[in-house]
Amino acid sequence: MSKLKIAVQKSGRLHEDSMKLLKDVGISIDNGRDQLKASAKNFPIEVFYLRNGDIPQYLRDGVVDAAIIGENILFEKGNDIPITEKLGFSNCKVSLAVPKSSTYKSIQDLQGKRIATSYPNTVNQYLIKNKIEAQLHIINGSVEIAPNIGLADAIVDIVSSGSTLFKNNLKEVEVLLQSEAVLAVSPLISKENLEILNKLKFRFQSVLKGRQSKYVLLNAPNDRIQDIINILPGMKSPTVLPLAETGWSSLHSVINKNDFWHIIDELKLQGAQGILVCPIENMVI
């Protein structure tokens, strides 16, 4: 039986988030310490643990069929590789930073300056777009130290919380790229393995939709039901069930977690009581 070969980052935050997603979709990975490859017990899949920067070439060559990878890596090293699903976690950005003492006002201030980065292709595209000529110093790791030792006037690197920039006396001044984890697919994937990938993608979509949603149960007077239904978007329409107490009903629906408090406030104004909010593990549409 054919197995889908999927790559994930060998270590780091993206690795942890990727393995959690696989676990949440019911895939049990039997991997021992320091293994570079592991098979699932209950799904036709093999997981390859690779260096993030190597994954685009493995996809391009068909060594792996798919990968959970940062969008920023594909932009830098694999913009010819198709993305089949955005996964909504491991969010970060590729940003330009300068010393806090800098009088930086606009991108034009980079003209003729030195920029240290691990993302030369991304930076070059940005400079060309803005018609700026600058000198690049390509550094793998510890890019933030470059201005402090006089190697560069600015840096371009991954920014998550911004704490690393703060510690190195730098300030973020431009965002070149917003990034999140994505599911990328090899252009050489077989038809059989593409079918397996589509099954995996369906599971991913169900879990990710559940993560973004909350299940809401509430009690409401019957004369306010329509007003409350207008507030609750639901998947199609809320479920309405009569309560033992005359004139009251129970409503069940799904809301987006980002709209949670705003919707709860509106429900209370419309007379909703006993509002119960539950997490959703999976949401199959």
Side-chain angles (χ1 to χ4, degrees):
M1 183 179 179
S2 181
K3 286 188 176 183
L4 179 75
K5 299 184 290 294
I6 186 168
V8 301
Q9 187 181 41
K10 188 176 180 180
S11 60
R13 179 186 167 194
L14 183 54
H15 168 85
E16 294 170 3
D17 289 342
S18 300
M19 299 310 294
K20 184 178 188 309
L21 179 59
L22 289 171
K23 181 179 179 181
D24 288 348
V25 300
I27 296 176
S28 177
I29 307 296
D30 184 17
N31 62 313
R33 186 177 178 83
D34 296 327
Q35 275 189 278
L36 297 180
K37 184 176 74 169
S39 295
K41 297 177 181 179
N42 54 355
F43 194 82
I45 188 174
E46 283 184 318
V47 178
F48 288 66
Y49 304 102
L50 304 174
R51 286 180 65 251
N52 224 15
D54 294 338
I55 291 176
Q57 192 60 49
Y58 279 86
L59 285 165
R60 195 176 287 115
D61 294 341
V63 176
V64 294
D65 301 305
I68 300 175
I69 185 172
E71 197 172 4
N72 59 297
I73 298 296
L74 284 187
F75 191 86
E76 174 67 23
K77 294 187 174 183
N79 56 14
D80 57 320
I81 296 169
I83 293 172
T84 186
E85 189 77 22
K86 293 198 173 188
L87 302 176
F89 57 80
S90 294
N91 297 79
C92 64
K93 49 193 172 179
V94 179
S95 295
L96 172 73
V98 298
K100 288 181 181 177
S101 59
S102 171
T103 57
Y104 181 94
K105 294 180 181 178
S106 74
I107 187 69
Q108 302 303 320
D109 291 343
L110 291 179
Q111 185 69 37
K113 294 297 196 311
R114 301 163 299 164
I115 304 173
T117 187
S118 301
Y119 296 89
N121 292 332
T122 302
V123 177
N124 271 324
Q125 289 185 51
Y126 188 77
L127 293 176
I128 291 170
K129 178 183 175 183
N130 288 278
K131 299 179 181 179
I132 301 294
E133 292 186 8
Q135 181 182 353
L136 295 192
H137 289 276
I138 302 172
I139 300 176
N140 292 317
S142 300
V143 174
E144 296 85 1
I145 199 174
N148 294 328
I149 61 175
L151 180 64
D153 303 297
I155 69 162
V156 171
D157 201 17
I158 286 288
V159 175
S160 294
S161 66
S163 61
T164 304
L165 294 182
F166 180 80
K167 290 175 184 175
N168 286 277
N169 235 7
L170 300 172
K171 59 182 179 182
E172 181 184 24
V173 292
E174 304 282 349
V175 176
L176 281 65
L177 176 70
Q178 295 281 357
S179 176
E180 64 183 277
V182 297
L183 180 63
V185 58
S186 169
L188 301 179
I189 188 171
S190 68
K191 183 177 179 180
E192 188 175 7
N193 282 354
L194 183 59
E195 290 179 3
I196 300 173
L197 179 64
N198 286 335
K199 291 179 181 178
L200 180 65
K201 191 168 96 169
F202 172 76
R203 293 193 185 191
F204 282 176
Q205 290 169 341
S206 299
V207 167
L208 295 173
K209 186 68 176 175
R211 288 180 182 178
Q212 292 299 315
S213 305
K214 297 283 188 182
Y215 189 69
V216 179
L217 302 88
L218 59 91
N219 299 329
N222 288 344
D223 61 353
R224 307 304 291 271
I225 287 177
Q226 189 55 54
D227 292 328
I228 288 175
I229 286 176
N230 292 338
I231 296 170
L232 294 170
M235 289 180 287
K236 288 187 178 178
S237 64
T239 300
V240 181
L241 301 171
L243 293 179
E245 184 177 343
T246 303
W248 284 78
S249 294
S250 173
L251 279 75
H252 300 208
S253 188
V254 173
I255 62 174
N256 187 295
K257 72 173 187 179
N258 296 323
D259 301 326
F260 170 73
W261 287 111
H262 171 69
I263 290 177
I264 294 299
D265 288 340
E266 287 197 45
L267 291 174
K268 289 177 67 180
L269 288 173
Q270 293 299 330
Q273 297 181 11
I275 303 172
L276 179 64
V277 181
C278 306
I280 299 174
E281 192 168 299
N282 294 300
M283 191 167 165
V284 180
I285 297 177

